[in-house]
Amino acid sequence: MFDQPNPAWGYGISTIDSATNTVLDTWYPEPILGSTPENFDPYLIPSSLTRKEGEDTLRGVHLVGLTTVIDCAAPPETVADAYLRLHLLSHCLVKPNSINLEGIFGILPLVAFTTRGPVSPEFYDQHRLELQKAGATITSLDKFGPLLNYVTPKKVRIADASRVRLGAHLAPGTTVMHEGFVNFNAGTLGASMVEGRISQGVTIGDGTDIGGGASIMGTLSGGGKEVISIGKRCLLGANSGIGISLGDDCVVEAGLYVTAGTKILAIGSAEGKEVKASRLSGVKELLYRRNSSSGAVEALPRSGDGTPLNLALHA
């Protein structure tokens, strides 16, 4: 999948724990997808970054400017390498599942992300009172920082910054409401409403609405290896869920969870055939519902008019 070289590079600044010399994170203001320019000198770091170098004794860290050059087709090798890949995704320079993230969990350290910047969990635990007195409270204890700590996506609304991880891909026009969640290497490919959960590896097409409490199976924490995608103009009703892909203009009714093994009564032929939901993965213009009389899960053909979003919310 990642056999073709795909270069990227960027100037960044790393936060390094002074006691252990562990790189906690790296910020890239303007990551670049493509080869480095002619006469490129990796040691000529812009002054806008070198001016930020130095010690921060409050957090027990020092800041160092650097240049990172990577091959997106190869697995990440360092923390700075991994962070550049996450920035490429969140700057919408690459799409989810298009670059190699193999082994990224083993590379990234656990970090206490605070209101004053990243801190090692051990340092925070030892200096809790001093840090809290200075206003440095923990917002998350994670290997992936909140997206908005590093990137401000254009024409995107995020109601709760803690619920979108760095590495999420949010296309212009996307709205993520308070209970919406978007993992790294996942996200929207067009203007979308996210009130539910978008798991790692999942992509959402333009004009699609993920209803409140709805969830989509990803490829982590017991999920399968199949990468799930949702097409354009789809609707996942409130508290619904899917473990299969949806083609364009599909609807899953509220409260219905469709996994790959769910038996579906496919309506549209004279006999009404029962098939596993995996057989319908990616098929467009279907309505998935549970028959209120028989309890059977059904897939009915529907028109391709889609489920229009409120344009005022996504302008």
Side-chain angles (χ1 to χ4, degrees), residues 108-126:
L108 294 177
L110 185 65
V111 175
F113 294 97
T114 80
T115 50
R116 293 287 294 266
V119 182
S120 82
E122 295 77 15
F123 186 90
Y124 194 94
D125 196 42
Q126 294 165 9

Side-chain angles (χ1 to χ4, degrees), residues 1 91 123 127 142 157 163 198 245 252 274 286 290:
M1 182 177 179
H91 279 267
F123 186 90
H127 302 83
D142 200 355
R157 292 197 299 141
R163 298 186 64 83
I198 301 179
S245 294
V252 180
E274 189 177 73
L286 289 177
R290 187 176 296 279

Side-chain angles (χ1 to χ4, degrees), residues 71-247:
D71 174 7
C72 297
E77 297 180 351
T78 65
V79 174
D81 178 336
Y83 265 86
L84 179 54
R85 293 166 197 260
L86 297 175
H87 278 72
L88 291 170
L89 284 160
S90 290
H91 279 267
C92 294
L93 296 173
V94 298
K95 293 181 180 180
N97 307 309
S98 68
I99 60 175
N100 196 333
L101 299 176
E102 182 181 352
I104 195 169
F105 275 99
I107 292 172
L108 294 177
L110 185 65
V111 175
F113 294 97
T114 80
T115 50
R116 293 287 294 266
V119 182
S120 82
E122 295 77 15
F123 186 90
Y124 194 94
D125 196 42
Q126 294 165 9
H127 302 83
R128 184 180 302 271
L129 292 181
E130 299 96 316
L131 285 159
Q132 290 178 347
K133 185 177 180 181
T137 57
I138 294 179
T139 57
S140 64
L141 188 63
D142 200 355
K143 293 195 169 195
F144 297 80
L147 168 71
L148 294 182
N149 284 15
Y150 301 91
V151 182
T152 307
K154 294 180 179 178
K155 299 181 181 178
V156 166
R157 292 197 299 141
I158 300 174
D160 186 341
S162 68
R163 298 186 64 83
V164 182
R165 275 172 147 183
L166 179 64
H169 180 290
L170 300 180
T174 296
T175 294
V176 183
M177 294 301 290
H178 296 80
E179 294 304 315
F181 171 81
V182 187
N183 211 336
F184 77 99
N185 196 36
T188 63
L189 304 181
S192 306
M193 172 63 79
V194 182
E195 298 178 273
R197 177 184 179 84
I198 301 179
S199 301
Q200 196 276 147
V202 174
T203 56
I204 307 299
D206 183 55
T208 285
D209 187 337
I210 310 301
S215 64
I216 307 158
M217 292 176 64
T219 53
L220 297 177
S221 301
K225 294 183 178 179
E226 181 183 352
V227 177
I228 303 298
S229 63
I230 298 181
K232 300 176 181 178
R233 302 175 300 276
C234 292
L235 170 65
L236 261 61
N239 297 315
S240 66
I242 56 169
I244 62 171
S245 294
L246 299 181

Side-chain angles (χ1 to χ4, degrees), residues 35-41:
S35 301
T36 56
E38 289 186 35
N39 303 318
F40 174 71
D41 185 346

Side-chain angles (χ1 to χ4, degrees), residues 28-68:
Y28 297 94
E30 297 179 1
I32 297 171
L33 183 66
S35 301
T36 56
E38 289 186 35
N39 303 318
F40 174 71
D41 185 346
Y43 297 102
L44 291 178
I45 300 168
S47 60
S48 59
L49 290 176
T50 57
R51 284 198 299 266
K52 303 181 191 301
E53 293 180 323
E55 296 285 334
D56 184 340
T57 55
L58 174 67
R59 293 187 288 139
V61 301
H62 57 279
L63 306 180
V64 177
L66 80 166
T67 304
T68 305

